[in-house]
Amino acid sequence: MTGIRLTAPAPGWSIEADVVVVGSGVAGLTTALRCAAAGLATVVVTKARLDDGSTRWAQGGIAAALGEGDTPEQHLDDTLVAGAGLCDEAAVRTLVTEGPDAVRRLIGTGARFDTAEGGDIALTREGGHHRRRIAHAGGDATGAEISRALVEAVRGAALRTVENALVLDLLTDAEGRTAGVTLHVMGEGQHDGVGAVHAPAVVLATGGMGQVFSATTNPAVSTGDGVALALRAGAEVSDLEFVQFHPTVLFLGADAEGQQPLVSEAVRGEGAHLVDASGTRFMLGEHELAELAPRDIVAKAITRRMELHGTEHMYLDARHFGAKMWEHRFPTILAACRAHGIDPVTEPIPVAPAAHHASGGVRTDLRGRTTVPGLYACGEVACTGVHGANRLASNSLLEGLVFAERIAADIVADRPRAGAPVTASAAAPSPLIAPEARATIQRVMTLGAGVLRSAESLATAAERLEALHGSALRAVAADEPKVAVPGVEAWEATNLLLVSRVLVAAAQQREETRGCHWREDRPERDDAEWRRHLVVRLTPERRPVVHRTRTEAFGPVGPARAADFGAASPTHPADLPEEHRP
């Protein structure tokens, strides 16, 4: 355990439970429903309202071998190819074999997918898939439908929920086992201010961290809170350098920041073409699947074309769909485009890559267990080994669904118990970052660790991030009046900075191009040296230390063993031998 905590008031109230689930997307609500059905006292904590997480924004669908002629083995092959040599095959096999029945159980919960003539589930294709295996709902509103069904089920089961609550830190007992979480309710929940949920099992399902970048498809709540909490608690994170940038996000201008409208990959799956300003289809010849190549390949091709032409975006041309198809198949995207003055029925859509999905996260085993006893993770906050260096389109909803069921089964079978939470250690609380630093962090990350990376850009990003961190440390040490005060915006900025520092530390170490990690100065994939995972822990001194696994195997979850890892890589000047310090 690191002993690191956020600076926050002591909890003024508490709830007792068997399980606390943090997050209300497909992963969190599925876990909660399964645990509650088994008789466990389950509490759901969510940062906004129950239906405001990342799941509701998912447009394309959920991938599973449901169609005639398709098999889990074919789904596995496509996933392994997209993952660029770093998928854990056991995790992928678990996903694709248990996925179809998990989707059927989701339908049993109340989710309604679009159907073809005859009543079978309608299936489409997306990038990297060689078969039509993407189930969708409402045309392009799959996430919203899944969220609706699960929220209705949670309310119907009368699960206890705490909405508008930002999770702060993990509570542990005297043995280092999980004993619950602290959280802050933002004025609209059952309690006000900082409180705690005491529980021997904590499930992190907090979603992504896209808000570390200036432009993202993620909602404003996606500030990496779960990864930051896990790091402070001493858990391992893995593959954090692999951030997937969605190739086709509606371009709203070079200065646009925050959440940007997504133009689903399913639009390309139905036959839309990527073109430049002259109308040339530039994906032909780039990959055998052209516009349906894996996302990292499409994002790179768009970025290269933009550089070649000196432009800030490319175009997605689907005028040949006609008004009827747009209105029936992609009503949400059509409305979003028209709201911004673009009519895809009559003109190409300007698109550019934006941060979309974290392939890495809190390292787990096949039952969702992290390296901290009693702490679980699933969904985008987790790194199960399924995605490798690049997530295959529409595998994320399926991953959340499958591994949520596995976590619930493990908790029900284990029935964990914990002692009373112990008081925080004598270590000083983590210094808070001023809320106004959020925009600075995002700009630093976009310029230094965005789609294009290099040793120089990453070094500059690391230097600027460490300067922010150091400034906060010095302000606390000197008891300066400019010290940030506890509050939601300061806690979010602090989480963003921690996650950014760890992401950049891993990206600096990986001196190759693989999947969605694109190093301009190291353009080739190097399997001999880098078909390895990078695992990061935070030291009690708040420094990220990066370990490289000895093989491509994901490795066991538990106390780190010398057999599994090579030497740690210094990520801070103070960790270097004196003669090598700057």
Side-chain angles (χ1 to χ4, degrees):
M1 308 299 291
T2 65
I4 303 171
R5 308 268 191 200
L6 285 172
T7 299
W13 51 269
S14 64
I15 298 171
E16 303 298 320
D18 296 320
V19 184
V20 55
V21 177
V22 186
S24 59
V26 62
L29 296 188
T30 299
T31 305
L33 286 167
R34 298 292 186 274
C35 288
L40 296 178
T42 304
V43 174
V44 176
V45 173
T46 187
K47 195 172 179 180
R49 299 193 64 79
L50 276 181
D51 60 355
D52 277 345
S54 293
T55 290
R56 64 174 289 209
W57 298 101
Q59 294 175 344
I62 184 167
L66 297 165
E68 184 177 353
D70 197 5
T71 65
E73 199 69 25
Q74 293 175 70
H75 189 182
L76 180 141
D77 289 343
D78 285 346
T79 301
L80 294 180
V81 169
L86 279 186
C87 295
D88 180 74
E89 188 166 338
V92 179
R93 194 169 294 280
T94 297
L95 178 83
V96 299
T97 55
E98 297 182 11
D101 284 342
V103 172
R104 295 182 184 103
R105 285 188 289 274
L106 180 61
I107 293 170
T109 303
R112 298 187 291 266
F113 290 96
D114 296 337
T115 56
E117 292 183 14
D120 292 335
I121 296 175
L123 300 172
T124 190
R125 274 184 71 193
E126 290 184 355
H129 293 273
H130 282 78
R131 283 189 173 272
R132 298 178 75 91
R133 65 167 66 95
I134 316 300
H136 48 84
D140 58 359
T142 310
E145 169 58 19
I146 290 173
S147 181
R148 179 206 62 77
L150 291 174
V151 168
E152 283 190 8
V154 164
R155 288 176 174 154
L159 265 70
R160 187 165 191 175
T161 61
V162 183
E163 297 180 293
N164 303 296
L166 171 64
V167 67
L168 300 177
D169 281 306
L170 189 73
L171 294 171
T172 54
D173 65 14
E175 303 299 319
R177 276 196 57 87
T178 292
V181 292
T182 55
L183 63 153
H184 173 79
V185 178
M186 295 175 265
E188 299 179 27
Q190 297 168 320
H191 304 271
D192 225 353
V194 174
V197 180
H198 297 152
V202 171
V203 183
L204 295 178
T206 52
M209 54 186 190
Q211 290 291 326
V212 302
F213 297 95
S214 297
T216 178
T217 63
N218 291 190
V221 295
S222 297
T223 51
D225 307 318
V227 170
L229 175 150
L231 282 163
R232 287 192 296 270
E236 295 175 349
V237 302
S238 187
D239 298 352
L240 215 63
E241 67 272 31
F242 297 117
V243 177
Q244 186 177 81
F245 287 76
H246 198 288
T248 54
V249 175
L250 183 62
F251 181 75
L252 300 180
D255 297 328
E257 295 183 343
Q259 187 178 11
Q260 312 288 303
L262 176 67
V263 182
S264 170
E265 194 149 322
V267 177
R268 282 175 281 138
E270 296 292 351
H273 302 144
L274 281 165
V275 298
D276 58 24
S278 68
T280 302
R281 281 184 67 187
F282 55 87
M283 283 305 299
L284 295 175
E286 286 280 343
H287 190 275
E288 61 168 334
L289 296 176
E291 281 89 356
L292 289 179
R295 288 180 178 176
D296 63 308
I297 293 171
V298 180
K300 290 173 189 176
I302 291 174
T303 304
R304 286 194 188 104
R305 200 76 173 185
M306 285 160 48
E307 287 188 325
L308 179 66
H309 290 271
T311 59
E312 296 174 322
H313 62 82
M314 288 287 112
Y315 294 94
L316 187 65
D317 191 352
R319 289 175 290 180
H320 54 285
F321 284 4
K324 185 176 181 180
M325 180 174 174
W326 267 110
E327 291 164 2
H328 173 72
R329 181 67 178 86
F330 300 112
T332 306
I333 299 170
L334 178 64
C337 288
R338 286 177 169 170
H340 291 284
I342 298 153
D343 187 352
V345 176
T346 60
E347 61 186 317
I349 305 167
V351 293
H356 182 56
H357 189 276
S359 292
V362 185
R363 198 163 79 93
T364 75
D365 65 10
L366 294 183
R367 289 184 278 180
R369 298 178 297 187
T370 75
T371 51
V372 175
L375 178 65
Y376 296 79
C378 62
E380 191 173 352
V381 70
C383 183
T384 61
V386 159
H387 303 309
N390 180 55
R391 175 184 66 112
L392 180 65
S394 288
N395 268 355
S396 50
L397 289 175
L398 190 70
E399 182 196 30
L401 192 62
V402 167
F403 285 89
E405 292 187 341
R406 290 184 140 253
I407 287 173
D410 192 72
I411 294 172
V412 169
D414 189 42
R415 301 274 171 164
R417 293 288 179 265
V422 296
T423 305
S425 72
S430 189
L432 295 181
I433 306 302
E436 54 266 27
R438 178 170 178 156
T440 301
I441 295 167
Q442 292 170 330
R443 286 193 293 270
V444 167
M445 291 297 290
T446 298
L447 290 171
V451 178
L452 302 177
R453 301 169 178 176
S454 67
E456 182 179 2
S457 76
L458 291 166
T460 299
E463 180 182 358
R464 291 176 178 172
L465 295 172
E466 289 303 324
L468 286 171
H469 178 64
S471 177
L473 284 172
R474 288 189 296 274
V476 170
D479 196 22
E480 295 179 6
K482 67 178 182 179
V483 171
V485 298
V488 172
E489 292 181 340
W491 288 323
E492 285 186 332
T494 302
N495 286 339
L496 285 171
L497 179 59
L498 174 56
V499 171
S500 297
R501 291 172 62 223
V502 173
L503 191 160
V504 169
Q508 284 183 288
Q509 295 296 321
R510 185 170 291 281
E511 297 180 338
E512 64 158 356
T513 289
R514 181 184 297 271
C516 47
H517 173 68
W518 185 8
R519 288 279 298 259
E520 292 181 282
D521 55 331
R522 302 280 184 167
E524 301 302 321
R525 172 171 154 177
D526 183 357
D527 280 350
E529 186 70 19
W530 287 105
R531 195 176 176 191
R532 310 282 189 273
H533 297 276
L534 295 180
V535 178
V536 188
R537 280 181 167 172
L538 201 63
T539 71
E541 295 75 32
R542 305 179 186 86
R543 293 175 188 154
V545 176
V546 184
H547 292 265
R548 179 166 46 161
T549 58
R550 295 186 184 277
T551 71
E552 70 274 13
F554 199 56
V557 168
R561 297 184 305 166
D564 301 319
F565 298 103
S569 300
T571 59
H572 189 279
D575 297 323
L576 293 168
E578 187 172 352
E579 63 270 22
H580 294 148
R581 294 179 193 171

